[in-house]
Amino acid sequence: MEYPFEVFEKKWQDVWKKERVFNAENQVEGKENYFVLSMFPYPSGVLHMGHVSNYSIGDAISRYKMMQGYNVLQPMGYDSFGMPAENFAIQHNTHPRLATENNMAIMQGQLTAMGFGFDWQRTLATSTPEYYRWGQWLFKRLYEKGLVYKKTSFVNWCDQCQTVLANEQVEDGKCWRDGSTVRQKEMEQWYFKITDYAEELLDFSKMIDWPERVITMQKNWIGRSTGTEIDFIEETTKDKIKVFTTRPDTIFGVTFMALPPEHEYIRALLKTEAANSDLADFCEKVINEDKKERGSAEQKKEGFFTGKYCINPVNGDRVQIWVTNYVLMDYGTGAVMAVPAHDQRDFEFAKKYNIALKLVIQNQDKSLVLEEMTEAYVEPGILVNSDKFNDKDSNKAKEEISAWIDENKMGKTTITYRLRDWGVSRQRYWGNPIPVIHCDKCGSVLVPDEDLPVLLPDNVQVGKTTQNPLLSVAEWVNTTCPNCGGPGRRETDTMDTFVDSSWYYARYTDSKNTEMPFSPEIAEKWLPVDQYIGGIEHACMHLIYARFFHKFMRDIGLVKGDEPFARLLTQGMVCNLGSKMSKSKGNGVDPQPYIDRYGSDAIRVFMLFASPPEKDVDWSDDGVVGAFRFLNRVYRQAENYGDLINEYYKPYSPDLDISKEMKELRFSTHTMMKKWHEDIEEKLQFNTAIAGIMEHLNNVSSIKDPENLNTNDKIIYAEANAVMFRLIYPFAPHVSEEVWSMIGQTGLVHESGLPKHNPLYLVTDEVTYVVQVNGKLRGKIDVSLETSEEEIKELALNLENVVKFLEDKEIKKIIVVKKKLVSIVVKPK
RNA sequence: GCGAAAGUGGCGGAAUUGGCAGACGCGCUGGACUUAGAAUCCAGUUGGGUUAAACCAGUAGGGGUUCAAGUCCCCUCUUUCGCACCA
């Protein structure tokens, strides 16, 4: 008989709802708050395996913490703005709002059927005016703090999405969402000054438990390097061209200046010398190369001499200015002083275009000869041809030259980050409108707070133009300037949806607030999120953006701490047949049929048992059956022996005179409790915690006729079962509640508290010593705890199998490790 | 190319941080119960070896430290992930 999950899963879900078990109060007398958060889903349609896995982990932690007596908040909502909804609407000739609402309803039904303990009263959806209003409000506060600006520059443009992408959203030169090629387009964009926080974002000391991997990825992404900015002066125009270098020690070796075609000097030059069409063509060609190829090291270095020169401030050298395809506009100052003798890239370029090389660093044995070099010399060495710095060690010279440049106002020592400011403009409809009105007289004017939210108009026709559909809603676009009352035009760019998800965790603490994004007092009770759970793919996107937002919100007094997420768990992906489930591979598995067939608990147990949470889980039909089988065995214990357990179970562990067999069972019960607690608390390893319960179940099942036991033994037997029923709660809450009630308990499982092992019952009368001879296992002895070391040695030496290996040998040493082993070292006589 | 993590049965994965390798689950083999199947229960399941034991080998490969190594050190190989013209 299979257990009737279809009956009681619903039953317990109703009980939880009726008793408001998961509706968290902001404060509960005598209880500490604990905030468990799983990344909210994009409402793409139906729940997929990744969601099920993610939320099974979160729910296990949440319920474990409830058993521990915490006042737990575990909310859930929807990241419901975004391009997929708009694309879906275009394809199916519907409205993004309708499609999104429909999907949210479906997913909410599925999440409810899974029985996850979410506080639905606090739910939110980023596409609702109640939520996005505060996104606009925060945009304004950012603006007022000088953290928002508008700039025209070359940006990542995805033709597929018809919009701009932030640097974080370009992977290998492809759009992170659809994988299509990203090209550079010159546009005016809104930016958030995330770089103002670059230094602080590199401080990870407030994270209690973040995976080292994520921290490393963020460090690399932010990419701090110290170096020197040096001003080169253009010979005729006297324009300043700033370069950034980490090798000021090579400044005397500069033989040309390398600029990317996007560089402002080049842009200006092209305007003044329109006649030089070859230069213009070259620039155009490089700009249109796709980002991946242009950024790859294998790419052939190409360049074009502008015919212009600039002056190296340290020695007055005339230096040729080249446009090249290998310098990145995005890094440093976007200009490179090329030192071909000591930089491999410059070396290759100079060789190709017959530009002079100048040796300024000599190796230790002074054997470098410029004419014989086949690659750049990039190691440290001794300075030569460097004026007054000659004969100095290059590492020392770095600092000295940098200081000298500083003093003589030829430049300055600086820190540069790889991190760029966050471009948040999106040329799409289904997103949060940027609360700005453009006025011919007043320029860009912020919409007054009392006029927020700027409502996204509903009457748009998506997909009719290649432009942002908002542009076609004249009555929306045309408005009055809040400043002068004259005619104004609304900003039609919407915000990147990553803005919406950068502060949602805080909104959960006070999601119904109509006066503020959330009350700082309430937020303080919950933040930072104690445990955040989500995919590793957000390491350099969402998780950096949210950290930035949190620091900004701290600076305007909305939140107290420095970090939004104290602990982070990056769960693995759910794979099928060894590779990531995806639509394009056609290997996706829909969880619904399995939920229908085996119930929520079996799916959860499978997900948690298959591997540690941060590792990928390979989906397996058989694995679910195994989990289901396990839960059936637990259920059968309650079914068969419910009355006996009910009669004899004591909520404490009485110290009784019991049989040897029951001592062993009691040992098993208490070992399980200890292991369970350690596995979850210290390592979040649900797989081994579950394995421990399974092992205990095997021990319980081996007791054949519990009815025939004496009273004391029955008490131990009852405890062995009842404790197990409670310990499955975080993983299989429905079964747990059901079997708990089947043994006559009237309360809910989490109310029964955290079963705690009694260390006394983990002490056994006998211990097994392993006996080794020269490191090889030769036998075992069981001795009582009181046995002296001498006696143990004696017993070990007399073991039949040990004696055999001692023949004709001389005993050199005997090592006894308490409660573990005897190691006998011998050598031939 | 640089950096990080990892490599354990047929499979997913365990191993008090140096102390019985393979917990637990899947799968498989045999048996019980069934007219039969499903379900369930029992036994077995690293390889070699043996009627059974003993024993031998064994945690990617090689070397080392140690009474004792999956675990620590050195070298090699492989895989995964991240970064990758970052000046």
Side-chain angles (χ1 to χ4, degrees):
Chain A
M1 265 292 285
E2 290 179 1
Y3 70 89
F5 62 85
E6 65 284 356
V7 179
F8 68 70
E9 289 196 348
K10 180 77 174 67
K11 177 179 94 183
W12 289 107
Q13 285 159 19
D14 291 344
V15 171
W16 296 331
K17 192 175 175 187
K18 191 163 144 271
E19 306 213 356
R20 304 168 51 83
V21 172
F22 302 109
N23 296 135
E25 301 293 333
N26 288 325
Q27 193 157 6
V28 175
E29 186 67 28
K31 284 193 174 191
E32 219 176 300
N33 284 358
Y34 197 91
F35 190 175
V36 182
L37 183 63
S38 299
M39 290 180 185
F40 63 172
Y42 176 78
S44 54
V46 292
L47 224 52
H48 58 70
M49 286 294 181
H51 298 129
V52 174
S53 153
N54 194 171
Y55 306 146
S56 295
I57 294 167
D59 206 36
I61 296 171
S62 165
R63 290 178 190 261
Y64 169 76
K65 285 290 163 185
M66 282 168 64
M67 291 176 87
Q68 260 189 335
Y70 284 91
N71 178 40
V72 174
L73 168 60
Q74 190 187 208
M76 181 47 61
Y78 303 95
D79 190 14
S80 51
F81 266 142
M83 289 179 289
E86 201 168 334
N87 294 337
F88 178 90
I90 293 168
Q91 277 165 28
H92 296 84
N93 200 26
T94 175
H95 192 283
R97 183 176 52 74
L98 296 176
T100 303
E101 284 169 1
N102 184 43
N103 288 346
M104 290 195 289
I106 294 170
M107 289 171 82
Q108 187 125 339
Q110 289 183 302
L111 290 168
T112 307
M114 282 296 294
F116 293 128
F118 295 131
D119 183 353
W120 287 113
Q121 286 189 350
R122 295 173 184 255
T123 194
L124 56 83
T126 55
S127 60
T128 57
E130 295 76 32
Y131 184 84
Y132 69 67
R133 170 183 181 182
W134 300 111
Q136 295 172 7
W137 188 90
L138 287 163
F139 179 95
K140 289 190 61 186
R141 303 293 90 81
L142 278 159
Y143 192 98
E144 288 159 6
K145 261 189 85 61
L147 292 168
V148 178
Y149 66 94
K150 215 160 67 165
K151 179 178 82 172
T152 301
S153 67
F154 283 88
V155 292
N156 306 304
W157 178 264
C158 174
D159 282 316
Q160 199 94 3
C161 300
Q162 279 293 311
T163 191
V164 160
L165 300 170
N167 280 351
E168 290 81 356
Q169 293 155 20
V170 181
E171 294 164 352
D172 266 358
K174 311 276 183 199
C175 170
W176 75 292
R177 199 177 273 288
D178 58 39
S180 66
T181 299
V182 170
R183 63 190 180 89
Q184 299 298 298
K185 193 172 171 180
E186 195 167 24
M187 290 182 73
E188 185 170 59
Q189 294 284 303
W190 290 96
Y191 288 87
F192 285 175
K193 252 186 173 174
I194 190 171
T195 50
D196 269 18
Y197 287 87
E199 197 59 42
E200 207 195 332
L201 286 168
L202 282 168
D203 177 9
F204 296 93
S205 63
K206 302 276 166 45
M207 278 76 161
I208 302 170
D209 210 358
W210 269 47
E212 206 47 51
R213 194 153 80 101
V214 175
I215 291 178
T216 308
M217 282 167 75
Q218 293 202 354
K219 275 185 187 160
N220 288 341
W221 184 262
I222 297 166
R224 181 188 204 270
S225 55
T226 37
T228 313
E229 237 175 60
I230 304 167
D231 303 331
F232 282 62
I233 307 294
E234 209 267 1
E235 201 175 41
T236 49
T237 64
K238 307 293 177 201
D239 281 340
K240 223 185 233 181
I241 301 175
K242 280 182 191 294
V243 300
F244 172 78
T245 181
T246 53
R247 293 293 304 274
D249 52 323
T250 63
I251 179 74
F252 289 89
V254 176
T255 59
F256 65 102
M257 167 73 68
L259 300 178
E262 294 92 348
H263 195 273
E264 54 191 3
Y265 173 77
I266 302 297
R267 302 322 294 168
L269 183 68
L270 285 176
K271 278 177 195 151
T272 56
E273 302 211 2
N276 193 345
S277 62
D278 286 348
L279 176 64
D281 288 350
F282 178 79
C283 289
E284 193 61 18
K285 185 187 132 236
V286 173
I287 287 172
N288 285 327
E289 269 175 11
D290 87 50
K291 197 169 182 173
K292 157 110 180 161
E293 279 183 23
R294 197 171 148 195
S296 89
E298 294 90 59
Q299 172 78 343
K300 284 257 172 356
K301 288 172 181 46
E302 288 179 13
F304 198 98
F305 178 41
T306 59
K308 305 289 178 189
Y309 291 83
C310 59
I311 305 299
N312 184 345
V314 300
N315 56 6
D317 276 5
R318 274 181 96 214
V319 173
Q320 298 183 345
I321 301 175
W322 285 70
V323 179
T324 70
N325 66 343
Y326 76 94
V327 175
L328 304 174
M329 189 59 215
D330 266 1
Y331 186 74
T333 59
V336 168
M337 57 172 224
V339 187
H342 305 290
D343 181 285
Q344 188 56 27
R345 297 155 297 183
D346 299 341
F347 183 89
E348 287 168 27
F349 189 87
K351 285 284 172 192
K352 179 168 174 181
Y353 291 101
N354 289 317
I355 302 171
L357 276 68
K358 189 176 167 194
L359 191 77
V360 289
I361 305 214
Q362 184 55 270
N363 63 14
Q364 292 303 331
D365 38 347
K366 310 221 163 163
S367 60
L368 282 177
V369 179
L370 197 59
E371 291 70 30
E372 291 167 8
M373 285 169 74
T374 53
E375 56 179 15
Y377 179 76
V378 296
E379 308 299 320
I382 307 297
L383 264 62
V384 292
N385 299 324
S386 297
D387 202 1
K388 63 175 178 172
F389 298 98
N390 280 343
D391 300 328
K392 292 198 188 275
D393 172 82
S394 64
N395 280 327
K396 276 203 188 113
K398 253 184 209 177
E399 285 170 37
E400 289 180 25
I401 292 181
S402 192
W404 174 68
I405 286 173
D406 239 333
E407 276 166 34
N408 292 281
K409 308 262 188 289
M410 295 181 283
K412 60 174 199 247
T413 308
T414 52
I415 295 163
T416 293
Y417 302 92
R418 185 179 169 277
L419 181 74
R420 302 282 83 199
D421 278 338
W422 177 13
V424 295
S425 288
R426 294 293 177 274
Q427 291 68 39
R428 292 296 293 252
Y429 163 65
W430 193 236
N432 193 359
I434 289 174
V436 166
I437 292 168
H438 301 288
C439 168
D440 287 341
K441 257 185 12 206
C442 314
S444 298
V445 181
L446 291 172
V447 175
D449 279 0
E450 59 271 24
D451 293 344
L452 297 183
V454 175
L455 283 172
L456 199 58
D458 215 36
N459 58 333
V460 295
Q461 292 253 291
V462 293
K464 293 290 175 201
T465 66
T466 53
Q467 287 180 311
N468 186 336
L470 282 173
L471 282 163
S472 62
V473 190
E475 66 274 25
W476 183 81
V477 174
N478 295 315
T479 182
T480 47
C481 169
N483 208 21
C484 67
R489 288 175 60 79
R490 287 196 189 280
E491 170 65 62
T492 54
D493 281 354
T494 51
M495 285 185 241
D496 183 2
T497 53
F498 278 106
V499 177
D500 306 325
S501 55
S502 290
W503 62 282
Y504 79 113
Y505 60 92
R507 176 73 178 173
Y508 278 134
T509 64
D510 189 20
S511 65
K512 297 288 181 282
N513 199 320
T514 55
E515 305 297 316
M516 299 186 76
F518 49 86
S519 138
E521 289 75 37
I522 296 175
E524 199 188 346
K525 293 181 197 296
W526 291 109
L527 295 178
V529 173
D530 292 284
Q531 180 69 61
Y532 197 33
I533 304 138
I536 185 85
E537 66 273 18
H538 289 108
C540 290
M541 294 198 271
H542 165 62
L543 288 170
I544 289 188
Y545 296 144
R547 291 182 63 216
F548 158 61
F549 249 75
H550 196 83
K551 291 170 197 305
F552 149 68
M553 292 195 292
R554 173 201 62 198
D555 291 347
I556 61 168
L558 277 174
V559 298
K560 280 267 162 60
D562 297 322
E563 291 290 337
F565 315 117
R567 287 180 202 80
L568 173 70
L569 189 151
T570 49
Q571 106 271 21
M573 285 179 310
V574 185
C575 299
N576 189 26
L577 309 167
S579 62
K580 183 186 175 181
M581 283 192 194
S582 74
K583 269 188 195 155
S584 57
K585 284 189 193 125
N587 66 343
V589 179
D590 179 7
Q592 195 59 50
Y594 294 91
I595 299 170
D596 295 341
R597 172 65 187 83
Y598 301 105
S600 154
D601 285 351
I603 311 286
R604 292 166 177 242
V605 168
F606 165 72
M607 288 289 188
L608 297 170
F609 179 67
S611 66
E614 64 282 353
K615 276 190 73 172
D616 291 351
V617 181
D618 213 11
W619 177 258
S620 142
D621 286 10
D622 290 329
V624 183
V625 176
F628 187 55
R629 200 177 293 165
F630 160 66
L631 292 175
N632 269 297
R633 287 179 66 199
V634 173
Y635 182 81
R636 244 185 341 264
Q637 283 297 120
E639 206 175 30
N640 294 340
Y641 308 114
D643 292 340
L644 183 152
I645 299 166
N646 183 10
E647 190 177 343
Y648 292 94
Y649 175 55
K650 307 265 187 282
Y652 54 94
S653 296
D655 194 6
L656 300 166
D657 188 20
I658 52 174
S659 66
K660 185 162 184 269
E661 198 184 19
M662 286 303 126
K663 269 188 187 155
E664 280 168 14
L665 186 64
R666 186 175 66 186
F667 178 80
S668 167
T669 306
H670 288 256
T671 306
M672 165 179 67
M673 281 191 257
K674 184 164 183 276
K675 180 180 169 53
W676 180 88
H677 185 262
E678 285 170 357
D679 286 351
I680 300 177
E681 183 69 36
E682 285 159 31
K683 299 176 273 181
L684 291 178
Q685 276 196 12
F686 307 111
N687 57 333
T688 50
I690 294 171
I693 300 174
M694 288 174 166
E695 198 173 355
H696 175 70
L697 174 61
N698 290 341
N699 294 332
V700 174
S701 315
S702 70
I703 311 294
K704 278 309 157 210
D705 296 300
E707 292 91 347
N708 298 337
L709 296 169
N710 68 36
T711 301
N712 283 1
D713 283 1
K714 277 180 179 163
I715 289 171
I716 300 304
Y717 183 80
E719 181 194 45
N721 282 279
V723 167
M724 174 173 69
F725 294 168
R726 294 162 66 191
L727 294 191
I728 61 171
Y729 182 73
F731 326 116
H734 306 88
V735 174
S736 180
E737 298 279 21
E738 182 68 11
V739 292
W740 186 239
S741 75
M742 283 164 81
I743 59 168
Q745 299 289 332
T746 52
L748 296 170
V749 175
H750 76 275
E751 294 164 348
S752 74
L754 195 75
K756 192 101 185 60
H757 74 273
N758 184 338
L760 285 179
Y761 302 151
L762 295 179
V763 179
T764 45
D765 307 334
E766 283 198 337
V767 270
T768 302
Y769 278 79
V770 168
V771 183
Q772 296 179 345
V773 179
N774 279 0
K776 286 190 192 255
L777 176 69
R778 294 303 179 194
K780 293 175 188 182
I781 44 174
D782 292 327
V783 296
S784 84
L785 277 178
E786 289 87 58
T787 317
S788 74
E789 205 170 301
E790 280 311 305
E791 285 173 283
I792 291 168
K793 280 185 188 171
E794 200 59 34
L795 284 166
L797 288 171
N798 289 318
L799 274 181
E800 194 187 337
N801 201 36
V802 170
V803 170
K804 218 163 74 185
F805 288 93
L806 298 181
E807 274 168 23
D808 300 324
K809 301 275 171 28
E810 183 192 339
I811 296 175
K812 294 274 291 177
K813 198 165 23 165
I814 301 177
I815 297 155
V816 179
V817 181
K818 230 179 145 196
K819 292 193 192 174
K820 284 222 169 78
L821 61 75
V822 182
S823 184
I824 303 165
V825 188
V826 299
K827 70 168 200 185
K829 269 182 187 157

